Amino acid sequence: MRRLGPILLFSTLPLGGCQGWQSALDAHGPAAGVLARMFWTFVAVLATVWVLTMIALLLSLRRRRPAGADPLATDPATERRMTITVSIAIALTLVTVVSLTGLSYAAQKVLFAHKEGGLTLLVKGQQWWWQVTYEDPQPNRVFTTANEIHIPVGEPVLIKLESSDVIHSFWVPSLTGKMDAITGRQNQIQIQADRPGLYRGQCAEYCGLQHAHMGLLVVAESREDFERWREQQISSAIPPNDDERQRGMEIFMSKPCIMCHQIRGTDAGGKVAPDLTHVGSRRTIGAGTLETTRGNIAAWIVDPHGVKPGVNMPTIQLDPDEVQPLATYLEGLK
C-alpha cells in the first residue's frame, strides 16, 4: 500500500490539466463542448485499441511450441485462424479510422456553422498584443480596446481575425478552438460562453520573442452588465478632477506617448499602440503580463523592456517626480 500511494499520485497528476481557465477540456461554450467530446471519444477508442493490442500480444507470448517441434513447420488450421484474425484486425482498423475521420469532419461542420445575429468584433493580432474593435452599424458606437473582450452570456459573437505583422493564432480554450490571424486576409470564428466567467485566451502560433506573453481575457457577463460596460467604453475619457491626475495628464500630453497611443477626448490620437481611453478598467496590462495596478503601470512606463523584453514600446525619459502622477492618471482612466 505504501508503494501504491505515490503511483496513484503521479498517475493522476496529468488530470490537473483537464480543468482551469485555460483548459480545452473545461468547456464553457458550444464549440468547446464539441471539441471536448471529440477528444474524450478519441481517447476512449484509442485506449480500447491499445488494451486489445496488449491482450493479443500477451496471448501470443504465452503460446509456445512443443519441445522438439520444427520451428519452420506450419499448421494449416493455425494459418487459417491467423489469416482470419489479421483480416478482422485490418477491417476493424479501417472502420475505426474512417469513423474517427467522419467524427472530426462532423465536429468541424458544427464549429464553422456561424449563427446569425449577435456582436461582431474585429480582432487584430500584433506583436505582442490584441487590438479589439467592436463594430456597430452606427459609426459613433464603434470603439477600440485591447487585450480584453467582453461578451454577453449565451449569445454568439463573431470574431473577424486579422494580423498586422506575422501569423498569430486566436485561442480561448474554454470557449472555442484555434483560428489563425494572417496578414493580408481575414478569418472568422464564433465564440459563445454558456455561463458568466473569466476565460483566458492565448496566441497559439509562435510569433516572436514575447509569444508566451500574448494573452487576452474574455469576460462573459449578463446582457445588462455588458451594455453598461459598452456604454462606458464608447464614452470619451473623463477629465481628471484632482491635481495629481491633472499633472499626470499634462505629462502624458507632453511626451512621445501621444504619437502611439490614443485617449479619446484628448489630443492623444496615436493608432499604432493600444488605445488607453479606459486602460484603468482592464484587468491586466501588457497583454496579460501584469495586473493593472498603479505600481505595475509605473514599472511598465519606466522599463517596459525589463517587464516584457523585445516589446515595441520605447523607453520614455521621465524625471523621478513625473512617474507617480503619470501612473496615477492612467490608472484612473476607468
Side-chain angles (χ1 to χ4, degrees), residues 40-172:
W40 288 119
T41 300
F42 269 67
V43 169
V45 172
L46 298 180
T48 301
V49 170
W50 183 84
V51 169
L52 293 176
T53 302
M54 292 300 102
I55 290 174
L57 176 62
L58 292 175
L59 290 176
S60 64
L61 291 176
R62 291 185 61 183
R63 295 177 60 87
R64 300 193 179 199
R65 291 180 178 273
D70 183 1
L72 299 179
T74 59
D75 178 29
T78 301
E79 289 292 330
R80 283 194 299 273
R81 286 198 303 271
M82 294 301 297
T83 300
I84 293 173
T85 300
V86 171
S87 299
I88 292 175
I90 292 174
L92 289 176
T93 299
L94 182 61
V95 170
T96 300
V97 171
V98 172
S99 299
L100 293 180
T101 302
L103 177 64
S104 177
Y105 279 119
Q108 288 187 26
K109 186 176 180 180
V110 174
L111 292 175
F112 295 112
H114 296 164
K115 301 177 183 177
E116 296 298 327
L119 289 173
T120 299
L121 279 60
L122 174 62
V123 177
K124 182 175 291 187
Q126 305 196 44
Q127 291 179 312
W128 290 274
W129 60 285
W130 301 93
Q131 182 185 67
V132 183
T133 301
Y134 281 74
E135 299 184 346
D136 195 279
Q138 303 179 44
N140 63 330
R141 294 185 61 79
V142 175
F143 65 91
T144 300
T145 182
N147 306 317
E148 187 169 302
I149 297 174
H150 286 240
I151 62 174
V153 172
E155 299 183 23
V157 177
L158 180 64
I159 307 290
K160 299 178 180 178
L161 290 170
E162 296 179 358
S163 172
S164 62
D165 37 52
V166 298
I167 296 177
H168 302 280
S169 186
F170 179 89
W171 187 35
V172 186

Side-chain angles (χ1 to χ4, degrees), residues 1 22 53 148 174 193 300-302 331:
M1 288 299 294
Q22 197 172 338
T53 302
E148 187 169 302
S174 293
W300 178 267
I301 294 170
V302 172
E331 184 197 26

